[in-house]
Amino acid sequence: TFDLHSDPEPPLLTLDQRRLYFRRQLANATWLLDTVEPYGVKLSFLAVGEFFEFCVEATEKDVCMPLLRRLQLSGGIIGTHQHCQYQRGAHDWPDIANCYRPADADVRKVWADGKRLTDEAIRQALQLSDAAAVAAINTASASHAQLPDPNQLMEELGYTIREGGEDQTLVALFGH
């Protein structure tokens, strides 16, 4: 299984530049799927809120929704990957204050916004109306912003798989 995730679009970019960045991420994921599908390799894919915000827009659905369907059919996971951003408005994703020692309410905003948009993209891509069916697909998450107990929000939001993070050896070696 390959684990591919989409990090936040660089915040200093304009909306048009972030859209181009998003489209490059779509192209990269498509290339990877094209490369591994003939070998039966699974591909898990986790992305940040703004990635999925782009996905559900009318201008991006024709490319993004078929890609999400392919990712899900590959046998992998579509999940939520968060850094420290919350959604203040349309394509407005500022960092919470003090990301690595944040207030609990700020952490909850980061996680809630990421989950909401991931769930919506899954719902639209797979034409699901049942929240339990969506939750059965959006099973994995990780975030730079954490509560003191890093498993608390995993349990509260129904995630069963924790994506690799700062506590893993390779992160210490490579810095991400």
Side-chain angles (χ1 to χ4, degrees):
T1 299
F2 275 91
D3 178 21
L4 177 65
H5 72 267
S6 166
D7 278 337
E9 289 82 5
L12 297 178
L13 298 180
T14 66
L15 179 59
D16 287 340
Q17 291 169 325
R18 290 195 322 274
R19 185 176 304 279
L20 180 61
Y21 182 87
F22 159 79
R23 289 177 178 164
R24 285 185 193 141
Q25 291 179 318
L26 287 178
N28 291 341
T30 299
W31 173 86
L32 185 56
L33 264 175
D34 290 345
T35 301
V36 302
E37 273 179 334
Y39 302 100
V41 174
K42 295 179 181 181
L43 183 62
S44 66
F45 180 73
L46 283 72
V48 295
E50 190 172 28
F51 179 93
F52 288 121
E53 182 181 9
F54 278 120
C55 272
V56 300
E57 291 179 349
T59 58
E60 306 301 335
K61 282 184 178 186
D62 288 346
V63 176
C64 191
M65 296 301 159
L67 175 63
L68 293 180
R69 285 190 289 276
R70 280 183 71 195
L71 287 163
Q72 201 276 329
L73 288 172
S74 83
I77 295 164
I78 300 172
T80 309
H81 177 80
Q82 292 121 182
H83 279 229
C84 302
Q85 294 77 25
Y86 69 97
Q87 187 179 35
R88 185 168 46 198
H91 293 288
D92 184 8
W93 290 85
D95 284 344
I96 58 173
N98 204 8
C99 181
Y100 294 97
R101 292 179 191 242
D104 288 1
D106 289 343
V107 174
R108 289 181 179 283
K109 282 191 297 191
V110 169
W111 282 66
D113 289 344
K115 180 170 177 37
R116 177 178 43 81
L117 284 157
T118 306
D119 285 352
E120 181 58 22
I122 291 169
R123 187 188 67 72
Q124 288 185 30
L126 303 177
Q127 300 175 345
L128 300 172
S129 57
D130 180 41
V134 172
I137 295 166
N138 185 8
T139 58
S141 187
S143 179
H144 291 229
Q146 294 285 344
L147 293 177
D149 175 358
N151 294 317
Q152 182 176 343
L153 286 174
M154 295 285 295
E155 293 170 10
E156 286 180 22
L157 297 174
Y159 292 112
T160 58
I161 301 169
R162 183 169 167 236
E163 184 185 27
E166 293 75 23
D167 58 338
Q168 294 189 333
T169 303
L170 289 177
V171 173
L173 292 175
F174 297 107
H176 190 111

